[in-house]
Structures are given as structure tokens and as C-alpha cells.
Amino acid sequence: MDFSQALRERRTRHRVSQLDLALRAGTTQRHVSFMESGRSAPGRAMVLRLAESLQLGLRDRNDLLLAAGYAPAYPESRLDGAALAPVLEALEHVLAGHLPYPAVVVDRYGVLVAANAAFALLTEGAAAELYAPGANMYRFALHPQGLAPRILNFPEWARHVVERLTRRAESEADDRLAELHRELAGHLPPEEPAGAPLGFAVPLRLRSGRSELNLITTITTFATAVDVTLSELRLEAFLPADAETAELLAQSRPAALRAR
């Protein structure tokens, strides 16, 4: 894909007009039109400004630079390489600090990178291959042999998970992400969600032994990352949505961090 086509495709995908992009990037609509028609070749700085104006991820920014004939601006380190070792060590401290509440670190596709000991509360009765290191946590959440049978508000929760992926699939041209989205959409139940959310978040109502856990999730990313791999990591943490759940989780007191 040449630069003109790549720019037009990304601008359209993010639902930004030529005029809006021009205003954001500090240029003119005419110049944007010329770049999209191939009549004007942008400099490297302009490509970066356009990418930032479209709020592209670092991977997509590199791809846009390559399409324009420039070298990538952002490195992509191996997850198990020396460059990210301090980051993973810091994440393990964060995971441990989140105890007694479950928390996991996943990559851009939801593949499990690390988890704390409280994550075991979510894996009761599930097939081990669905939550082992390297497994996909979105698949684990919705698969009939994963977390799904214990989710009391599964129609609501499943649609919440799939809708999050829908938004990403619409804004990122990624075949693997699109395939994952299609797979998970196949797990959606036909009935519409019956329960009402808390008002500020979609809860996860989970059966745990004889008790019910009411959880909400938070997602933390490295907003200032300049490494592609690091920018795509997500720390997904579960928090108690009521006092009863907080007490039940406090009683569990998992102490050891689960191995990556």
C-alpha cells in the first residue's frame, strides 16, 4: 500500500475529514488532498504530525512512515528481551500490590503475559489450556470451558467484551484482531442483556464457590511509551464492586505471584 492510499484509509477509518485532519496537523485541506491523491510527497515530520493527529498507535505510525519511504520511528522490543526486563519486573510489583484482587497483564490481542495469585479465583473449573501463560484472556472470558459458565450476567458481560473489540477492530486494520473479534462474537448469546449496569461500569457477576463476586475492571496502559511492544501492553485489574466482594477477596489473601 502506498502512502496516499495508507493515509486515506487511516483517515477514513478514524472518521476524520480532510479539513479536520489539516487543522489538527497544522496544514491545509489542499495539502492533505494532494497527499492523498499522490500529487504531493510529505516529509518525515509531516508524516509523524499526521499520524499523531489521527491518534494512531505506535505500530500504525511506523507503518505509515514505511509507506512514505521512511524508516520506523519507534522500536519494537521482544517481550522476553533485555530492554523490557525492567518493565516486566515493575509490572510484577504492580500485580503483587493489587492483591488480594485479581489482575493480569495482556498484549494487544489479549494474550496473557503475567498474572497475580488472585487470578486463580477466576480460573476455578476452567480448562487449564485456556488460562495458561500465552493463552488468550478474551477467549478465556467467553469460552464455554473457560470463565463463561460462572458468569451470572453472561449476556451483558459478553457483549461488553465483544463491543470493546469491535471498536478496536474498526479503528485498527489488523487481520488477527478481526479474526479474534469474529471468533468471540460467535460466543454471544442470542438474548439481549437483562441486567442494568452499576451506572458507572459494567459489572462482572461471578459465581465463586457458594458466594457471588461483583467485580469491575480497570485497564492501565503506558501512555508515554515510545516502544511498540510496551505501548500495546494492558494491565487489566479487577476491583470489588461492593463491600461483600471486598470482604470475600480480603479473606482469600493470595500471597504468591503467579509465574509468567
Side-chain angles (χ1 to χ4, degrees), residues 230-249:
L230 180 58
S231 72
E232 293 174 344
L233 291 181
R234 290 172 167 79
L235 190 152
E236 301 206 10
F238 295 81
L239 297 170
D242 54 42
E244 292 79 7
T245 299
E247 184 177 355
L248 287 168
L249 292 175

Side-chain angles (χ1 to χ4, degrees), residues 38-69:
R39 297 173 64 185
S40 177
R44 189 173 188 274
M46 174 57 71
V47 176
L48 287 171
R49 278 161 52 194
L50 292 169
E52 182 177 357
S53 299
L54 289 171
Q55 298 182 322
L56 301 182
L58 300 190
R59 183 181 300 277
D60 222 6
R61 296 185 190 197
N62 277 348
D63 289 345
L64 199 62
L65 282 165
L66 286 169

Side-chain angles (χ1 to χ4, degrees), residues 116-181:
N116 66 8
F119 177 63
L121 295 170
L122 306 182
T123 65
E124 297 172 5
E129 64 270 16
L130 290 175
Y131 61 82
N136 189 285
M137 290 297 95
Y138 302 142
R139 182 179 294 118
F140 165 71
L142 303 189
H143 196 281
Q145 295 180 329
L147 190 62
R150 296 171 53 210
I151 300 177
L152 300 175
N153 60 332
F154 182 73
E156 180 185 14
W157 178 257
R159 290 186 185 278
H160 164 66
V161 172
V162 171
E163 284 170 4
R164 278 172 51 194
L165 281 176
T166 299
R167 292 191 292 271
R168 289 187 54 204
E170 288 175 348
S171 64
E172 302 176 32
D174 187 309
D175 292 340
R176 182 177 170 186
L177 187 64
E179 178 59 33
L180 177 64
H181 175 262

Side-chain angles (χ1 to χ4, degrees), residues 31 89 115:
H31 191 195
E89 183 178 354

Side-chain angles (χ1 to χ4, degrees), residues 171-250:
S171 64
E172 302 176 32
D174 187 309
D175 292 340
R176 182 177 170 186
L177 187 64
E179 178 59 33
L180 177 64
H181 175 262
R182 284 191 292 270
E183 175 193 336
L184 297 183
H187 292 306
L188 286 177
E191 66 269 22
E192 290 295 322
L198 291 175
F200 58 85
V202 177
L204 171 62
R205 295 178 50 222
L206 187 67
R207 185 186 301 108
S208 179
R210 296 182 179 180
S211 306
E212 176 184 327
L213 301 177
N214 284 311
L215 303 165
I216 56 175
T217 58
T218 64
I219 299 176
T220 303
T221 60
F222 289 87
T224 58
V226 292
D227 182 278
V228 174
T229 304
L230 180 58
S231 72
E232 293 174 344
L233 291 181
R234 290 172 167 79
L235 190 152
E236 301 206 10
F238 295 81
L239 297 170
D242 54 42
E244 292 79 7
T245 299
E247 184 177 355
L248 287 168
L249 292 175

